[in-house]
Amino acid sequence: MQVGGFNNVNQIGALAQQNQLENLVSVSIRGWTNATQQDLLNFISRKTRISVRNSVVQGDTITGYVSPQEADQLVKFSGYRFAGNSLKIQKADGGNPNANTNDTITVLRSVLLRRYNAQTRMLDLGNLFNDPELVQHGMAPKNVNTQSKMFPAMMKVASKEPTMVVESINLSDNNLRDVNGVTTLAQTFPHLKNLCVANNSISRFHSLEVWKNKFKELRELLMMNNPITSDRLYRTEMLRIFPKLVVLDNVVVRDEQKLQSIFRLPVEQTQFFFEDNGLASSSTDFVANFLNLWDTNRMQLMGLYTPQSQFSLSVDSSVPAATVPNAQTTPTFGYYLPFSRNVSKISSDKTIQERLRMGPEAIYEVFGSLPMTKHFLQEQPHAYSVQAWTFSQVQGFVITLHGHFEETAKPEIDKNKSSQGAPASRGRRYNHGFTSTANVKLSPKSFDRTMVLVPNPNGSIIIASDTLTIRPFCDSAWAKPPTASQLPPPQQQPQQALQPQPQPLQPQAQMNVPLSHTPLNAPAVPGQLQGTVGAGVLQLPPEVQAKLSPIQLELLQKLHLETKLNAQYTYMLAEQSMWSYENAIQGFRNSANNLPAEAFV
Amino acid sequence: MNRQPQIVETFIKKVLAHFDEADPAKLQLFLQLFNPHQCKIIFNSQPFGQAVQFLQAWQTQVVLTQHIITAVDFHVIPGTGTIVCNVNCKVRFDESGKDKSGLDSAIPANGPDSRAGPGNRGLDKPRPIWGTYYGVSLQLVLEDRIFTNDLNGVISSMNYTIVFKPSDSLMNI
């Protein structure tokens, strides 16, 4: 079954050229939807003695080729009854079959754009049956069958419109008996916030099951005038199918604050943590230099390790779920496994003992046996996360780095060339030994590396402990996908790889109020689009800034981004709510409509 | 016979079991593992000043979890009496929409159909609905007293970082 038929465009183009050489023209046939393509062609050739060649299905239309004379005859059969419908046969204009598909796309696109309101981010797909434009082009859905073809096509066109940011969709008055014809809505607009399917004939919960857990941000649903709403279990079922539904048919069915707190962790994940500013700059420098040498010349690193230094690596071979973005499904750890000291997997004490390396020589033996790598700290700073904190017992600090690397070449030291007189001519490639080529295929990997660093009195640094976890590659959790309502990232100096955002640990308890996650449904400021407009970095007078702790400054910045209030009002709001983010946002919501216009940036 | 690896691994499992504990009465037992004077806790790159704050937040603001160890490695730092552990595990969250005490956010329907009270805290405990696994990287700095079976206040720092997340989870991290 073809969906939309746009994947046929190239094929049609080729056919069109070929057919034009043979001097054929194309005809389009509609109104055959209750039968198969072959049934229709058989029917036509029986009735008209004309065989339609090279036919292709596009949506609800079959396009085929006949000679010009045949085309004239064929058009006369338009209106013929077939499988309970009357056929609609047209000559395609100019013999250019591409016109048809492009035409379809153009019409759908113009319909979509006409029905989209950028101000409200609403796409109104109500009452498509009577859309004059669709009717005029014979594309208006006449029944469930044609609808199930037209709608996916429409969604496909919509998904290619980057300018359309859709938060709300109206599907009312579409004679929907179920949502099977419009299921693709969930793929095209997974972040939909509001959906209206009022005035349809949806009567069974089962048909909505395809949307279970699909619209994870669906907040409001309108289903008035559907038989389903009179079911005793209607509310319970809707709550079950849409886990984050707050408003159902204009009735509040979930406590929004409670809902958000349930699906949220106490703090929002950030990319970096440094206990203080000094640590921020020194550890970012250290990490950048270390990885640079790790990629280019590992021998150069050996000066950082003393005879007491320890290194070990462990392989975490558990494969991330398929729904983790870009997760490797068949990772290979052939080069790492001989050194892996994952004590949850290894039972032999002797092995655990052997795989802990102490002193530069023993450590380098492993370093040299690992594949050559390339890290992307400069190119993709967002792909790395760092935490650094002081470690008083060693008078040093701990740095943990999470990220990924590419394996660029085989290890320098070839473990598999056993020194026991193996002929040199038998390199790895012809070695049918333990490591099969599949096992040592080079590929990207994700990793976590933790180092205990001790500064020397002379200003140098030694690595007391170095543990490395190698795991299958996948996208990181801290990388926030850009959403429509996201703000521009903080100013980045291009020459600096990592821009730490230091947050000192505050010993006083009350300063450590965790800042909670931004609510999903921030109040919209009247007359202003939410999102990247207006709010930027908060400018405070220096004398005010001097009195505030970094945590307070961050709170102000968050409030400012959230409320779009200017500096003065943001500060007032924070003061009045005792520097609690939750209280401030609540207070803002209660009074937003009474604030003067100049309160906003 | 070196028992250190087993002791470390058992201890990590104990810590993760505490994370997954639903009963608030057991919170005190978890708290006893943390150094009461000086303890650094970093969760998803956000610091917590004291263990008690973090544990309260975990108990009251995080739904039920299930952790599974996937990798453990550790170094005893000579001459300091400390151990650095590098742990990887998987975690999944209860995505049924209920918090640890079984309360959900649904507003009881008024009318004859309002069955159980708020949150349906009936007699039978609702089963958690587990979401897809997240990946976690966990670093612990411990005192080597754990080798002599003394677990009081042995955790002097803990760094818990979610390193990968599934796209089909309802959680916002």
Side-chain angles (χ1 to χ4, degrees):
Chain A
M1 186 71 226
Q2 306 281 3
V3 177
F6 298 123
N7 37 8
N8 291 327
V9 170
N10 294 335
Q11 194 190 341
I12 295 169
L15 285 177
Q17 284 183 335
Q18 177 197 333
N19 288 308
Q20 266 175 328
L21 290 177
E22 298 171 26
N23 200 9
L24 297 178
V25 294
S26 82
V27 288
S28 67
I29 305 159
R30 288 206 188 90
W32 53 280
T33 43
N34 295 343
T36 67
Q37 186 182 353
Q38 200 51 52
D39 284 348
L40 173 76
L41 296 180
N42 293 348
F43 173 81
I44 288 178
S45 83
R46 269 207 315 277
K47 290 282 172 202
T48 66
R49 305 279 169 94
I50 295 170
S51 69
V52 180
R53 275 159 276 183
N54 293 338
S55 64
V56 176
V57 180
Q58 310 167 52
D60 62 347
T61 310
I62 288 187
T63 308
Y65 298 88
V66 292
S67 71
Q69 304 83 3
E70 287 173 332
D72 291 336
Q73 280 183 20
L74 204 53
V75 172
K76 290 181 189 147
F77 282 89
S78 203
Y80 230 86
R81 300 288 297 175
F82 167 66
N85 271 330
S86 58
L87 291 176
K88 198 169 174 188
I89 305 177
Q90 290 174 312
K91 267 197 286 188
D93 42 344
N96 176 3
N98 263 342
N100 237 322
T101 312
N102 283 338
D103 195 39
T104 311
I105 297 178
T106 316
V107 172
L108 288 177
R109 188 164 176 267
S110 98
V111 169
L112 281 169
L113 292 175
R114 176 164 49 79
R115 287 166 161 267
Y116 173 63
N117 179 339
Q119 205 65 41
T120 55
R121 298 190 174 178
M122 157 109 167
L123 180 58
D124 183 353
L125 299 177
N127 199 352
L128 290 170
F129 290 80
N130 299 324
D131 187 282
E133 202 171 350
L134 288 176
V135 170
Q136 184 199 330
H137 290 87
M139 291 198 291
K142 291 181 196 52
N143 56 35
V144 176
N145 238 329
T146 45
Q147 188 185 50
S148 66
K149 294 192 174 65
M150 197 276 309
F151 195 83
M154 197 170 221
M155 287 298 105
K156 185 136 185 153
V157 175
S159 66
K160 291 194 165 72
E161 282 303 320
T163 53
M164 278 196 350
V165 181
V166 177
E167 287 179 356
S168 313
I169 284 187
N170 175 20
L171 276 170
S172 57
D173 305 293
N174 274 314
N175 303 356
L176 296 171
R177 273 179 305 178
D178 52 41
V179 297
N180 295 346
V182 294
T183 46
T184 38
L185 196 66
Q187 283 120 52
T188 313
F189 302 109
H191 304 295
L192 196 67
K193 290 197 174 75
N194 311 299
L195 175 64
C196 171
V197 285
N199 309 339
N200 283 297
S201 342
I202 298 169
S203 59
R204 292 174 56 216
F205 297 123
H206 183 72
S207 88
L208 293 170
E209 207 65 36
V210 288
W211 277 348
K212 175 152 173 45
N213 285 353
K214 284 290 185 297
F215 293 111
K216 291 210 291 278
E217 287 156 48
L218 191 73
R219 187 176 170 276
E220 183 164 358
L221 177 67
L222 296 173
M223 290 191 73
M224 294 87 123
N225 297 332
N226 280 286
I228 201 172
T229 54
S230 52
D231 193 300
R232 204 172 48 83
L233 292 172
Y234 169 61
R235 178 186 159 118
T236 321
E237 283 292 299
M238 291 304 107
L239 284 172
R240 184 182 63 82
I241 291 172
F242 301 105
K244 295 194 182 173
L245 193 68
V246 175
V247 182
L248 176 63
D249 299 338
N250 296 324
V251 178
V252 178
V253 290
R254 274 196 179 103
D255 172 354
E256 191 153 15
Q257 274 200 308
K258 175 74 179 164
L259 179 73
Q260 284 176 10
S261 74
I262 282 177
F263 288 114
R264 202 167 56 201
L265 297 177
V267 291
E268 192 178 0
Q269 179 160 32
T270 53
Q271 205 179 346
F272 302 110
F273 169 76
F274 301 101
E275 200 169 325
D276 60 56
N277 282 336
L279 201 47
S281 56
S282 58
S283 45
T284 43
D285 285 353
F286 177 84
V287 164
N289 291 330
F290 185 93
L291 289 183
N292 188 18
L293 287 171
W294 180 264
D295 287 344
T296 53
N297 187 347
R298 287 179 200 161
M299 200 53 166
Q300 296 261 311
L301 295 169
M302 298 327 295
L304 297 167
Y305 297 85
T306 69
Q308 293 265 292
S309 300
Q310 298 170 79
F311 168 82
S312 56
L313 73 84
S314 60
V315 171
D316 173 359
S317 52
S318 63
V319 178
T323 50
V324 175
N326 292 320
Q328 243 172 1
T329 47
T330 52
T332 54
F333 298 106
Y335 288 118
Y336 304 93
L337 284 168
F339 304 102
S340 175
R341 187 178 182 259
N342 180 347
V343 303
S344 71
K345 296 274 192 290
I346 297 170
S347 49
S348 144
D349 280 343
K350 188 165 155 284
T351 311
I352 292 174
Q353 206 60 46
E354 278 171 358
R355 291 181 180 179
L356 173 62
R357 300 296 178 121
M358 205 164 207
E361 293 78 20
I363 291 174
Y364 187 73
E365 199 189 329
V366 181
F367 281 11
S369 309
L370 300 179
M372 299 308 295
T373 55
K374 165 106 182 74
H375 292 74
F376 300 91
L377 213 54
Q378 303 282 344
E379 301 88 335
Q380 305 165 24
H382 291 294
Y384 295 83
S385 170
V386 180
Q387 295 87 39
W389 67 99
T390 53
F391 182 1
S392 51
Q393 292 96 327
V394 302
Q395 275 125 52
F397 47 96
V398 186
I399 296 184
T400 300
L401 167 70
H402 316 273
H404 74 279
F405 60 81
E406 191 80 55
E407 293 174 347
T408 54
K410 295 193 165 83
E412 286 173 356
I413 305 172
D414 196 338
K415 276 288 286 183
N416 295 350
K417 273 192 197 150
S418 57
S419 47
Q420 291 145 20
S425 62
R426 292 189 53 191
R428 178 187 303 284
R429 180 176 299 213
Y430 309 106
N431 169 353
H432 300 291
F434 297 109
T435 27
S436 70
T437 44
N439 213 3
V440 292
K441 204 174 68 204
L442 298 177
S443 67
K445 297 274 188 292
S446 287
F447 73 94
D448 309 288
R449 191 164 193 163
T450 302
M451 298 189 194
V452 177
L453 304 177
V454 183
N456 271 345
N458 65 6
S460 68
I461 280 185
I462 61 155
I463 301 176
S465 153
D466 180 357
T467 47
L468 172 63
T469 304
I470 304 284
R471 48 189 173 83
F473 175 81
C474 62
D475 282 1
S476 61
W478 55 85
K480 299 265 184 287
T483 57
S485 58
Q486 215 188 14
L487 293 129
Q491 289 294 308
Q492 276 230 337
Q493 295 155 355
Q495 72 271 22
Q496 216 171 333
L498 292 166
Q499 275 252 324
Q501 298 137 14
Q503 296 183 320
L505 269 171
Q506 297 273 342
Q508 311 100 304
Q510 81 276 12
M511 289 314 301
N512 261 301
V513 181
L515 295 172
S516 68
H517 186 82
T518 317
L520 274 175
N521 298 289
V525 178
Q528 206 179 36
L529 265 185
Q530 271 177 265
T532 55
V533 203
V537 178
L538 196 61
Q539 297 299 330
L540 289 163
E543 65 275 11
V544 177
Q545 197 149 345
K547 284 192 302 207
L548 297 171
S549 77
I551 300 233
Q552 287 175 305
L553 286 172
E554 196 185 0
L555 173 76
L556 285 177
Q557 182 63 36
K558 267 182 98 115
L559 280 177
H560 169 65
L561 294 181
E562 190 59 49
T563 62
K564 317 282 186 292
L565 286 169
N566 65 24
Q568 185 197 350
Y569 275 85
T570 308
Y571 184 80
M572 275 165 39
L573 179 65
E575 282 264 74
Q576 285 165 3
S577 50
M578 309 297 288
W579 298 95
S580 148
Y581 180 80
E582 298 285 346
N583 296 349
I585 288 296
Q586 201 52 50
F588 175 74
R589 286 188 187 173
N590 296 342
S591 59
N593 294 332
N594 309 329
L595 288 170
E598 64 267 21
F600 297 98
V601 288
Chain B
M1 181 71 186
N2 180 357
R3 304 281 308 150
Q4 284 186 356
Q6 289 85 336
I7 293 169
V8 169
E9 194 186 347
T10 308
F11 182 79
I12 305 277
K13 283 185 172 155
K14 185 191 279 283
V15 169
L16 295 180
H18 275 299
F19 270 121
D20 298 341
E21 178 57 59
D23 181 3
K26 304 259 172 74
L27 203 58
Q28 202 52 40
L29 297 173
F30 195 7
L31 187 61
Q32 283 169 8
L33 300 178
F34 292 87
N35 183 326
H37 310 296
Q38 239 280 343
C39 184
K40 287 171 182 157
I41 294 191
I42 305 153
F43 179 79
N44 274 346
S45 295
Q46 299 277 9
F48 281 80
Q50 295 167 331
V52 66
Q53 289 177 339
F54 171 73
L55 296 182
Q56 273 169 349
W58 184 266
Q59 183 63 42
T60 56
Q61 299 175 42
V62 182
V63 295
L64 204 60
T65 53
Q66 202 175 55
H67 286 79
I68 294 182
I69 287 185
T70 55
V72 178
D73 193 1
F74 72 97
H75 291 169
V76 180
I77 313 277
T80 60
T82 56
I83 309 159
V84 176
C85 302
N86 178 37
V87 180
N88 287 74
C89 51
K90 298 189 295 188
V91 64
R92 53 187 188 171
F93 297 92
D94 172 12
E95 296 187 0
S96 65
K98 296 186 170 65
D99 63 15
K100 278 201 180 91
S101 57
L103 288 169
D104 69 10
S105 56
I107 291 166
N110 33 22
D113 194 37
S114 59
R115 285 154 307 176
N120 304 333
R121 271 199 288 186
L123 295 170
D124 49 342
K125 221 172 151 42
R127 277 196 319 191
I129 300 175
W130 297 116
T132 315
Y133 280 108
Y134 285 71
V136 174
S137 168
L138 174 71
Q139 286 74 39
L140 291 166
V141 177
L142 309 173
E143 298 190 21
D144 61 9
R145 291 183 284 119
I146 69 164
F147 295 140
T148 55
N149 209 10
D150 173 4
L151 305 183
N152 267 319
V154 286
I155 302 177
S156 61
S157 50
M158 178 173 85
N159 177 29
Y160 184 113
T161 310
I162 292 186
V163 290
F164 64 76
K165 58 179 176 193
S167 55
D168 59 347
S169 164
L170 296 176
M171 301 293 293
N172 302 310
I173 67 162

